[in-house]
Amino acid sequence: MVDKSIKNYVEEVQTNGYAIVEGVFSSNEIEAIRKEIERESDSSKETFRKSKDLFAIRQFLKEIHSVEKLLFNATLKNILENFFDKNYFVVKSIYFDKPEESNWFVAYHQDLTISVDKKVEIEGFSNWTIKQNQFSVQPNKEILKNIVTIRIHLDDTNEENGALKIIPKSHEEGIVRLDTFDFKNHKEISCNVRKGGIMIMKPLLFHASNKTTNKERRRVIHLEFSKSNLPKELSWSEQHSIN
């Protein structure tokens, strides 16, 4: 069960860049989510990436849309409304499955891109890429600051199976070049989360993950939310309101 006021979690995220909320989903809810993903997964699609180290589904809510009713329970909606009131929407959704033998790791980084419908030259938007028919761009800092990421954990996650490592409060420094950030003078924390819990974080928080060493699977649903409008020439490619 969520064990303290949700407003306290909002304050933690604003101050430290992250918060962990345990017990957002029951064991039965997690099992139903897992089964729905397995039932609907089709790795032949372009949005599915599969290797011995990682299985990922991009545009997850579009590809496995039947899972939405299971994900957005009353507790998660309450958490989101405390961040955004009722005007929020999904702007990115990814499913990550790190298998038991995974040697895949991610170095420290900030999440600096958003997914949009097309490429347009606009001041303040740079570093355009396209992958799997998906345009990505780095927007201005204000748009990034107003995104909230929620990671739903379908397995127990710790230092040994790829839990996120983060640098608390690093989001306060804005967009920072990795080679200029002084990691030696900042404390690193492993964000261990039990099955059914969530991690809430700001995209500008420095984060990383290690290789799996305990032969335990790690499945996470990564959802990004905003209520910011883009310039009229652009649209969020995955914009989706939650009923």
Side-chain angles (χ1 to χ4, degrees):
M1 296 292 292
V2 177
D3 59 1
K4 62 181 178 181
S5 168
I6 290 173
K7 291 190 182 301
N8 289 340
Y9 292 117
V10 174
E11 291 174 5
E12 281 186 35
V13 174
Q14 301 301 343
T15 301
N16 297 319
Y18 79 104
I20 293 170
V21 189
E22 300 286 9
V24 174
F25 297 89
S26 69
S27 294
N28 287 340
E29 286 175 316
I30 291 297
E31 186 60 25
I33 291 167
R34 287 173 171 176
K35 286 182 178 179
E36 195 64 21
I37 294 170
E38 290 172 5
R39 187 177 71 86
E40 293 290 336
S41 292
D42 179 359
S43 58
S44 66
K45 293 185 177 182
E46 284 189 346
T47 49
F48 288 64
R49 173 186 169 190
K50 190 169 187 178
S51 72
K52 65 181 179 63
D53 290 327
L54 175 68
F55 175 51
I57 306 172
R58 297 190 176 277
Q59 302 181 40
F60 173 68
L61 290 181
K62 285 185 178 181
E63 297 293 355
I64 316 288
H65 55 83
S66 57
V67 81
E68 181 181 320
K69 64 182 182 295
L70 302 173
L71 293 179
F72 292 96
N73 63 14
T75 304
L76 187 60
K77 285 183 176 180
N78 190 13
I79 290 168
L80 287 164
E81 287 175 9
N82 272 269
F83 278 95
F84 295 113
D85 298 322
K86 293 184 180 294
N87 300 317
Y88 64 89
F89 42 82
V90 178
V91 295
K92 186 179 291 185
S93 58
I94 310 172
Y95 169 73
F96 293 109
D97 180 352
K98 202 169 195 176
E100 296 89 337
E101 303 290 340
S102 178
N103 286 318
W104 176 66
F105 74 98
V106 179
Y108 268 108
H109 65 287
Q110 299 172 295
D111 290 339
L112 297 178
T113 63
I114 61 173
S115 299
V116 295
D117 61 333
K118 58 181 175 294
K119 181 177 180 179
V120 181
E121 296 301 328
I122 302 176
E123 185 177 354
F125 288 70
S126 60
N127 299 324
W128 288 87
T129 60
I130 182 170
K131 183 185 293 185
Q132 298 165 333
N133 297 317
Q134 176 72 72
F135 291 97
S136 295
V137 64
Q138 181 175 322
N140 61 57
K141 184 172 66 175
E142 290 308 308
I143 289 174
L144 291 173
K145 285 173 62 177
N146 287 306
I147 291 173
V148 172
T149 298
I150 290 184
R151 293 168 58 87
I152 301 169
H153 287 69
L154 306 185
D155 300 287
D156 291 338
T157 306
N158 56 40
E159 300 97 327
E160 296 179 339
N161 69 334
L164 279 195
K165 302 181 297 182
I166 60 97
I167 306 295
K169 301 186 178 183
S170 55
H171 68 301
E172 295 178 339
E173 302 190 31
I175 298 172
V176 182
R177 279 180 45 185
L178 186 63
D179 59 359
T180 65
F181 189 79
D182 184 10
F183 286 95
K184 292 181 180 179
N185 289 319
H186 290 79
K187 183 180 180 181
E188 177 184 274
I189 289 177
S190 176
C191 293
N192 299 351
V193 185
R194 291 190 291 270
K195 179 180 73 174
I198 67 172
M199 177 189 176
I200 311 170
M201 61 179 281
K202 301 296 288 182
L204 294 178
L205 188 76
F206 269 106
H207 57 285
S209 67
N210 287 339
K211 299 176 182 179
T212 299
T213 61
N214 66 353
K215 299 186 184 300
E216 294 290 337
R217 194 174 183 183
R218 189 211 70 179
R219 288 165 287 186
V220 173
I221 297 170
H222 173 110
L223 303 174
E224 296 180 16
F225 299 87
S226 181
K227 64 175 183 180
S228 298
N229 293 319
L230 297 178
K232 64 180 186 300
E233 298 90 343
L234 280 179
S235 297
W236 301 95
S237 66
E238 293 184 59
Q239 181 169 340
H240 178 66
S241 297
I242 304 303
N243 296 322

